[in-house]
Amino acid sequence: AISDADIPVYAGGGYYFPDSDLARLKDEAQYFTELGFQSVKIKIGSAALADDVRRVETVLAVLGKGELLAVDAMNSYSPKSALEAVHALQPYQLRWFEDICDPLDYETHRDIVEVYALPVSAGEALFSLADARNLLRYSGLRAGHDVLTFDPAHCSGLPEYWRIIKLFENNGWSRRDFQPHGGHLFGLHVAAGLGLGGCECNPHNFQPFGGF
């Protein structure tokens, strides 16, 4: 079947620049909006928390609303620094907070969602049905609220990715809670074909595979 549904996409980027980080981050966010993207995701977690808060504020000055900005810590926070980060970011009402801590540290995931009312995202660094089952069982993630960013390519291809979707669906989740990581055309095809909630696009990173 051919899908005629619109697929929400967001621009992934916001990596740290080696110099003039905030000015170049602002330019990148403006570039994304000029391309037509309304939602953006940036990286945090590799600088001091106060510096990362300034990164968030810099992009919000372009986008206007927290619900249009997601942040990705790339699994960098310890249990203690993860809780410090969620408390610092909660007032900004962000779209979601992705890959906060060690992907297999389900206890910290559970501690985070107990205090962080806004959506979190997990799954990018989990590659199998077994890992997905443990995330479902032990992390405390909230169906219909949090976002699952498993990568179809990292998960050994579409068959295992489909098994992960069915696992979550059988436990009260919707496939609309899934947004494939990757930022490439394959992810868009998967989101369209399976009726997922959206996907990432990397407009200028990871070429020639990034973007659509």
Side-chain angles (χ1 to χ4, degrees):
I2 298 175
S3 173
D4 60 359
D6 291 333
I7 307 300
V9 299
Y10 64 90
Y15 289 88
Y16 291 91
F17 293 96
D19 56 76
S20 305
D21 180 58
L22 294 182
R24 295 175 70 180
L25 181 66
K26 181 179 180 180
D27 289 344
E28 183 185 61
Q30 290 173 331
Y31 169 69
F32 288 155
T33 61
E34 289 167 2
L35 291 177
F37 292 98
Q38 295 180 335
S39 299
V40 172
K41 184 173 74 180
I42 66 170
K43 306 304 180 185
I44 63 170
S46 295
L49 182 56
D51 292 334
D52 280 336
V53 168
R54 283 191 283 273
R55 300 188 101 239
V56 167
E57 292 175 342
T58 296
V59 178
L60 288 181
V62 176
L63 301 181
K65 294 187 288 188
E67 65 192 48
L68 301 178
L69 175 63
V71 293
D72 179 356
M74 300 184 71
N75 309 113
S76 62
Y77 287 121
S78 68
K80 181 176 182 291
S81 61
L83 290 172
E84 291 171 350
V86 297
H87 284 299
L89 293 177
Q90 185 133 243
Y92 295 95
Q93 300 287 298
L94 299 178
R95 185 178 184 186
W96 70 66
F97 193 169
E98 180 174 330
D99 289 341
I100 302 173
C101 60
D102 186 314
L104 299 178
D105 185 353
Y106 306 117
E107 181 178 5
T108 295
H109 280 87
R110 190 167 58 249
D111 291 342
I112 288 166
V113 299
E114 287 178 356
V115 298
Y116 190 65
L118 295 154
V120 303
S121 169
E124 173 189 337
L126 301 177
F127 310 135
S128 69
L129 182 65
D131 285 339
R133 184 178 292 112
N134 284 332
L135 183 72
L136 176 66
R137 285 176 174 171
Y138 304 122
S139 67
L141 293 182
R142 301 152 292 190
H145 183 72
D146 295 320
V147 181
L148 301 168
T149 46
F150 295 94
D151 187 313
H154 292 174
C155 294
S156 302
L158 193 56
E160 187 79 345
Y161 187 71
W162 175 244
R163 294 184 193 104
I164 291 170
I165 290 174
K166 296 309 294 181
L167 169 70
F168 277 83
E169 282 190 319
N170 291 339
N171 285 273
W173 290 68
S174 166
R175 66 183 63 185
R176 303 290 296 174
D177 296 323
F178 283 78
Q179 297 205 29
H181 165 266
H184 42 63
L185 188 57
F186 176 58
L188 179 63
H189 287 169
V190 170
L194 299 181
L196 307 183
C199 72
E200 181 177 15
C201 177
N202 282 311
H204 62 79
N205 293 314
F206 311 120
Q207 300 305 322
F209 300 108
F212 302 148

